[in-house]
Amino acid sequence: MPLILLLDLDNTLLENDVNVFVSVYLKVLGNHIEQASSDLIRRQIMIATQAMTAKDTPALTLEEVFDHSFYPGIGIDKADVWDSVQNFYEQVFPTLKSVTAARPAAKRLVEYGFENSHKVVVATNPLFPLTATLQRLDWAELPISHYPFDLVSSYETFHFAKPQPAYYTEILAQLGWLPHLAVMIGNSLEDDIIPASKLGIPVFWLKEDHEMLPEDAHPLSAAGTIEQALPWLQNLSAENIRQPFETPEALLAVLAATPAALDTFSRELKDQDWKQRRQAGEWSFAEILCHLRDVDSEVYLPRIETITRQENPFLPGVDTDRWAEERVYYLQDGKTALQQFTAARTQLLEVLKTIPLNEWQRTARHAIFGRTTLHEMVCFIATHDRNHIQQAICTLGRSPTH
């Protein structure tokens, strides 16, 4: 079975000392934007970057988070400085190639992925605009014109950054929750190895010292040089890898990724696409969003609150499919439904985050499923999410790896 091959970029596919690179990047960008002092530019970029990495809710893309922090911080409207920013990435950013170098072993790793029909993802921390990432891929001698990566993460299309575990589930959601199993190759313990391990993803940690892998790393995980990553990958058997995403932390990451991925899908839609049905009797994208919104706010959240407040409560069954016609979802505004679903999901996540791990085994009596637990109920929500992500992709006529 093919794998989803998640590959970090800096110091993985591309030799790039991040400390040196960021120092030079901040200096030249600060000097290039003439509307504010270079010290202020550098300081506000760091503040905005911290806001992106700390973000743990699905509303807003990372670009929007950056914009809301950076431009007010320098006291200039984005429109007034945007030409300078674009000129920087076109004329100045390419000069930073001099502090990087291509890695032949990384190129062989990527080529192996494509040759074996793996889904190859550039899983770089999405703190830069896409142009900056594509240029670094060029420097790594991995241009997208020759290497059709299934996904390249950037701040325009992602809502979570490393080290948030939801960054990785957002990738899998954008890919359509394919049946393929994911593996991660990266150099950073904090950004690549620990969060992926928390999700049960096998990892290969690029390092040359003798530091041990995290205790919770998948049993098939390993560590070594970039040259050793390929033999590790070649020896992996997908049949031996199980990724249930069933720990509380993994489930929270799956649930957070759903409105994030749906928001990314929505941003390329024309007005008519929101209500387009592929076949009679099927739901449109807007109807799917209405369904997810109402189920979260009227079924899932009340059930979870009931389980946490009562001892072994009875949970009645609810026929939510009929709501589509009864509530005339087809006539409702999809953009509004997406906003409302994101708000409802955020509220659901906030409640789940407050529940101690030992409380996840609290029991309830479901009208249809019988005896269940809070943990099992959240697993059901995650499965429901994955099904509707796949439905949305089909409804929109997207390739599962669009």
Side-chain angles (χ1 to χ4, degrees):
M1 176 184 291
L3 300 171
I4 298 174
L5 183 54
L6 307 175
L7 301 172
D8 180 48
L9 178 52
D10 298 300
N11 279 333
T12 299
L13 297 180
L14 176 69
E15 187 172 328
N16 184 11
D17 186 318
V18 174
N19 292 329
V20 173
F21 182 84
V22 170
S23 177
V24 177
Y25 167 77
L26 291 175
K27 180 179 179 180
V28 295
L29 178 56
N31 292 337
H32 187 78
I33 298 179
E34 299 177 350
Q35 293 91 334
S37 73
S38 59
D39 287 343
L40 178 61
I41 295 288
R42 290 195 293 268
R43 182 167 64 251
Q44 289 304 134
I45 286 178
M46 295 306 297
I47 291 172
T49 299
Q50 290 169 0
M52 289 190 288
T53 57
K55 182 177 182 293
D56 63 354
T57 55
L60 304 180
T61 64
L62 294 173
E63 179 182 18
E64 290 168 335
V65 170
F66 179 90
D67 290 354
H68 291 171
S69 175
F70 177 70
Y71 294 105
I74 63 173
I76 302 172
D77 288 340
K78 182 176 181 177
D80 294 334
V81 73
W82 187 238
D83 286 345
S84 294
V85 173
Q86 288 185 304
N87 180 264
F88 167 79
Y89 282 109
E90 292 172 0
Q91 303 298 327
V92 181
F93 190 82
T95 65
L96 300 184
K97 178 181 179 180
S98 62
V99 300
T100 72
R103 286 182 161 179
K107 189 174 181 180
R108 289 195 293 272
L109 184 65
V110 170
E111 291 174 345
Y112 170 84
F114 284 111
E115 290 166 359
N116 288 272
S117 301
H118 296 320
K119 303 300 179 182
V120 187
V121 176
V122 180
T124 184
N125 209 352
L127 304 176
F128 287 93
L130 181 61
T131 179
T133 301
L134 296 183
Q135 289 186 54
R136 300 201 315 283
L137 285 171
D138 287 344
W139 305 345
E141 298 180 1
L142 295 167
I144 62 169
S145 58
H146 186 71
Y147 298 92
F149 295 104
D150 292 275
L151 187 62
V152 178
S153 59
S154 67
Y155 83 163
E156 294 98 336
T157 56
F158 269 71
H159 301 69
F160 298 99
K162 299 177 184 180
Q164 302 292 338
Y167 164 74
Y168 293 92
T169 53
E170 185 172 4
I171 290 175
L172 300 177
Q174 286 200 29
L175 293 178
W177 286 109
L178 296 166
H180 308 48
L181 298 161
V183 299
M184 175 67 195
I185 299 177
N187 70 292
S188 172
L189 176 63
E190 294 78 15
D191 287 345
D192 303 324
I193 305 307
I194 291 177
S197 295
K198 288 179 178 178
L199 298 174
I201 295 175
V203 298
F204 189 91
W205 185 13
L206 297 181
K207 67 186 189 72
E208 297 182 359
D209 56 32
H210 299 289
E211 190 173 355
M212 300 294 291
L213 284 161
E215 290 186 1
D216 61 353
H218 192 283
L220 295 178
S221 298
T225 64
I226 185 66
E227 289 77 15
Q228 294 169 318
L230 180 55
W232 171 78
L233 187 62
Q234 291 171 326
N235 291 327
L236 277 181
S237 172
E239 287 72 21
N240 295 331
I241 305 173
R242 183 169 179 265
Q243 288 173 359
F245 295 100
E246 289 181 354
T247 66
E249 188 165 17
L251 288 167
L252 291 174
V254 172
L255 268 55
T258 301
L262 292 170
D263 179 56
T264 295
F265 297 165
S266 76
R267 294 187 178 234
E268 62 185 37
L269 299 184
K270 299 176 182 177
D271 288 344
Q272 65 269 24
D273 294 334
W274 290 82
K275 296 187 177 183
Q276 181 68 39
R277 291 171 170 171
R278 286 177 62 83
Q279 294 183 20
E282 293 186 354
W283 286 351
S284 67
F285 185 60
E287 289 173 293
I288 294 169
L289 295 170
C290 291
H291 169 77
L292 290 168
R293 173 200 63 199
D294 289 354
V295 170
D296 258 29
S297 60
E298 299 181 42
V299 180
Y300 294 149
L301 183 57
R303 280 179 178 172
I304 288 170
E305 291 177 334
T306 299
I307 293 174
T308 58
R309 293 172 181 170
Q310 301 179 23
E311 289 296 326
N312 197 35
F314 176 76
L315 305 176
V318 182
D319 181 6
T320 60
D321 287 348
R322 61 184 176 83
W323 290 352
E325 289 190 13
E326 292 179 354
R327 302 182 180 187
V328 198
Y329 285 166
Y330 185 72
L331 297 180
Q332 294 189 31
D333 180 68
K335 295 179 182 178
T336 301
L338 176 57
Q339 294 172 353
Q340 293 169 336
F341 168 53
T342 302
R345 177 52 57 88
T346 300
Q347 183 180 4
L348 178 65
L349 289 167
E350 290 303 318
V351 170
L352 288 171
K353 289 175 184 177
T354 66
I355 301 175
L357 291 180
N358 62 334
E359 294 289 301
W360 281 62
Q361 295 306 317
R362 291 181 65 91
T363 61
R365 294 167 292 124
H366 193 281
I368 299 174
F369 306 119
R371 184 185 183 279
T372 188
T373 64
L374 172 64
H375 183 270
E376 189 173 54
M377 291 299 301
V378 180
C379 287
F380 176 81
I381 299 172
T383 299
H384 183 255
D385 276 15
R386 287 190 283 262
N387 289 339
H388 283 297
I389 285 282
Q390 293 167 348
Q391 180 190 23
I393 286 175
C394 180
T395 297
L396 296 173
R398 295 169 56 97
S399 163
T401 58
H402 180 78

